[in-house]
Each structure stands twice: as structure tokens, then as C-alpha cells.
Amino acid sequence: MKEVFAGIFVFIVGIVLLWFGIFYVNKKNYKEPDDGMNYLLKLTPLPKIINYWLAKFLILLAGFLLVFSCIYGVIQNI
């Protein structure tokens, strides 16, 4: 039963990361950043546009990996 709750939690975190990567990390927030977006734009000493795409890529990659790993786990246990 613990595996079910862990799988649901991982799936929800994956969906939240996908939402965050698609709707929050966007060009509007890049041009007019708030405190959280300023932190992402100072992720590395590279220019801000590279940090923007790097953060967007890593967040979306993590979200896709979590969602697909949950789907794969469910399919393997059927």
C-alpha cells in the first residue's frame, strides 16, 4: 500500500513540475522577473537567457521523467 501512495505522490510532483515548467517559466516572467524567477536566472554565471533555457529544460525533463516513470511502474504491475 505504501507503494501506491509513493507512486501517487511522485505522479503529482511530476504534474506540478510540468505545469511549473510550461506556465511559470515563460518569456513574460523572464522579462519582468519576481524574486523566484530572479533566483532561477542567477542559477549559473552564464547569461540570463542561457539560465532561462537551462532551468526550463531541467524542470520539464524532471517532470517528464517522473510522470513517465509512474506510468511505466503502473504498466509493469498490471
Side-chain angles (χ1 to χ4, degrees), residues 24-65:
Y24 180 74
V25 181
N26 56 25
K27 289 285 187 179
K28 178 181 167 261
N29 284 336
Y30 167 72
K31 291 179 182 175
E32 301 169 9
D34 58 0
D35 290 338
M37 194 65 178
N38 267 333
Y39 179 74
L40 285 176
L41 294 176
K42 295 178 183 174
L43 192 63
T44 66
L46 298 170
K48 286 185 177 182
I49 190 68
I50 294 175
N51 285 336
Y52 165 76
W53 284 110
L54 180 67
K56 188 170 186 92
F57 174 74
L58 291 176
I59 291 168
L60 288 176
L61 180 68
F64 280 123
L65 286 176

